[in-house]
Amino acid sequence: MANRPNYAKQMDEALAGLAGSRPRLLLHACCAPCSSSVLEILERHFAVSVFYYNPNTWPEAEYARRLAELRRFLAASGRDALPLIAEGYRPAEFYAAAAGLEAEPERGARCTGCYRLRMEKTAAYAAAHGYGWFCTTLSLSPHKDAERINQIGAALAAQYGVRHLPSEFKKRDGYKRSLELSAQYGLYRQDYCGCEFSARAAAARRQGD
């Protein structure tokens, strides 16, 4: 798309503007694999805290497994002192956001609502706890729409008064690097995004193979 913003370039410009000041940033993390290469980038420029809020994840055992794997990765990679804020498991919040969108295809309006739900909780927490910046690992995935993610981030920044870091972490071999780090640390890599709708779609794909 010719007029699509270059979010990697926008991130470069934002980072250059920090001039070595290392402000506090709250990073929404969906899982350990996606956090791995994103943290390598961000911790060079920010004092990062990790925010695990994923009420979409289904079932609860999967939510707990992804959180445990994130904790294990932080410890194994020498980041055990990094603040990790884990919100409780609240699936009702996701189902309220997804109401009426249950039949939407993957990457459709239901996913947009899910991005917004998790990013808004992150922005609100950042504003309430004195963070200057926030962003999400979601743009690392090749299955996620970075344009929608960044549009949501910009709107939330205006709403909550916390700066959003533009990103498309999958670019510049970011996704490839996450695969390398996943192999290095033996990270659990799930085969579906998180919600029960994506789990069912993944199961249907496996049956079709």
Side-chain angles (χ1 to χ4, degrees):
M1 189 179 300
N3 296 322
R4 187 182 186 280
N6 185 331
Y7 295 111
K9 182 178 179 181
Q10 288 184 14
M11 183 172 73
D12 288 344
E13 292 168 352
L15 296 179
L18 296 177
S21 60
R22 292 186 60 80
R24 297 174 72 212
L25 178 142
L26 189 63
L27 172 66
H28 167 258
C30 57
C31 62
C34 289
S35 301
S36 61
S37 62
V38 171
L39 282 170
E40 278 193 336
I41 296 168
L42 295 182
E43 64 189 358
R44 300 171 197 155
H45 306 279
F46 295 97
V48 180
S49 295
V50 179
F51 189 64
Y52 186 80
Y53 172 70
N54 299 292
N56 58 306
T57 305
W58 176 90
E60 185 172 2
E62 179 72 13
Y63 172 92
R65 182 177 185 182
R66 296 186 190 190
L67 176 56
E69 193 71 345
L70 179 57
R71 290 189 192 280
R72 186 180 73 80
F73 168 70
L74 293 177
S77 63
R79 298 180 175 93
D80 42 335
L82 208 66
L84 172 59
I85 302 131
E87 292 286 293
Y89 185 55
R90 299 170 184 153
E93 295 178 4
F94 167 71
Y95 288 111
L101 302 172
E102 294 85 353
E104 280 284 307
E106 288 294 292
R107 308 187 195 186
R110 185 183 65 245
C111 294
T112 302
C114 186
Y115 302 161
R116 183 178 296 108
L117 172 67
R118 291 185 280 171
M119 291 177 69
E120 181 163 10
K121 182 70 77 170
T122 307
Y125 189 99
H129 292 85
Y131 290 86
W133 294 75
F134 77 100
C135 71
T136 178
T137 61
L138 291 172
S139 71
L140 180 82
S141 171
H143 304 294
K144 301 289 190 297
D145 184 343
E147 189 159 13
R148 275 185 282 173
I149 289 166
N150 283 283
Q151 287 172 349
I152 291 167
L156 292 172
Q159 180 178 348
Y160 287 95
V162 180
R163 296 188 68 177
H164 173 255
L165 181 67
S167 70
E168 190 159 7
F169 290 118
K170 68 174 73 68
K171 298 292 188 181
R172 299 173 179 171
D173 289 331
Y175 179 68
K176 179 183 176 183
R177 179 59 178 157
S178 77
L179 296 178
E180 294 169 351
L181 289 167
S182 293
Q184 178 180 340
Y185 291 99
L187 299 180
Y188 161 61
R189 295 185 63 86
Q190 58 279 2
D191 67 352
Y192 67 101
C193 177
C195 73
E196 69 169 296
F197 308 107
S198 62
R200 290 172 181 167
R205 287 194 298 271
R206 288 194 297 272
Q207 290 174 0
D209 290 341

